[in-house]
Amino acid sequence: MSRRTVRAAFITAVGALALLAAASPASAVPPPELVHSESVAMGSSTLTTSFTDWPLRADRSLDFTFEPVGGIEGRTGVLRVVSPRGESTLLGIAARLAGEDEMKLPRRPRDYSVWGLDAVALPEEGTWRFEFTVAGPEGTSTGVLALPVGSRPGPSAALSWTVGLLPWILAVPVVAYLWTRSKPKRRRIDSDWSG
């Protein structure tokens, strides 16, 4: 075998091993850690609601999990979210596409053993209400969880937009000046040609 063939085979083997290592489940990003839980009384049972961020802040993305005592197998859950203004709202894109004021609780994409919502944000501060209805072998039970949500972290939206647009506002006069300077000057051409 020539040196060139051995080198090509070696590079191919290293590349294949690198691809296999990158695709292994061990290199997958772990789910966010649940840092706080609240219990919701559901008749004779309870539902544990957990969060990846606490205290809750407006416009901050977080994950929720919902787990009734005994697990979710053989049970269905419905969630209705009420904003501080008293309006029923939907969390997540899939819920908004359904066009209803309540949503069936989906399995959490990162852990199918519980219900959950991934990467949603509560858009305003105040007390939010999560109204649960869980139907299972022992019947249907309901419960309400009141969640205090603090103000949005960071500067106000108006200040953020102003700072973000400031470079573009300053660039407009510069671009206009350069554009007018680069336009060819129109010269008046007097023709002495007489056919």
Side-chain angles (χ1 to χ4, degrees):
M1 264 196 198
S2 71
R3 279 185 115 173
R4 193 175 259 176
T5 307
V6 171
R7 186 183 300 167
F10 177 74
I11 291 173
T12 304
V14 169
L17 286 174
L19 285 174
L20 287 174
S24 70
S27 67
V29 176
E33 180 183 349
L34 299 170
V35 298
H36 183 78
S37 295
E38 295 279 331
S39 292
V40 181
M42 302 282 293
S44 61
S45 184
T46 59
L47 175 89
T48 302
T49 303
S50 301
F51 312 90
T52 56
D53 195 17
W54 193 263
L56 300 181
R57 305 293 293 256
D59 278 340
R60 188 169 213 168
S61 181
L62 71 151
D63 293 359
F64 297 93
T65 63
F66 312 104
E67 184 174 13
V69 171
I72 63 172
E73 291 303 320
R75 292 183 170 87
T76 58
V78 175
L79 172 63
R80 182 172 181 257
V81 180
V82 180
S83 73
R85 290 180 280 149
E87 300 170 354
S88 182
T89 186
L90 297 173
L91 301 176
I93 294 172
R96 289 188 185 118
L97 294 176
E100 299 177 4
D101 67 341
E102 60 185 26
M103 64 181 289
K104 182 180 176 190
L105 284 172
R107 289 180 184 256
R108 184 177 187 215
R110 296 179 180 150
D111 180 7
Y112 284 159
S113 66
V114 295
W115 293 317
L117 301 172
D118 278 2
V120 296
L122 301 172
E124 62 185 87
E125 67 178 290
T127 302
W128 287 74
R129 284 185 7 185
F130 281 39
E131 300 173 353
F132 299 96
T133 304
V134 176
E138 62 280 342
T140 301
S141 56
T142 60
V144 176
L145 175 63
L147 289 174
V149 175
S151 62
R152 180 179 179 269
S156 68
L159 179 61
S160 296
W161 275 97
T162 302
V163 169
L165 291 176
L166 190 59
W168 294 104
I169 292 170
L170 296 175
V172 167
V174 171
V175 169
Y177 172 75
L178 293 174
W179 184 66
T180 57
R181 297 271 302 163
S182 66
K183 283 175 75 173
K185 301 284 185 206
R186 294 185 183 169
R187 285 182 270 158
R188 192 166 172 200
I189 299 174
D190 292 329
S191 175
D192 290 343
W193 183 71
S194 56

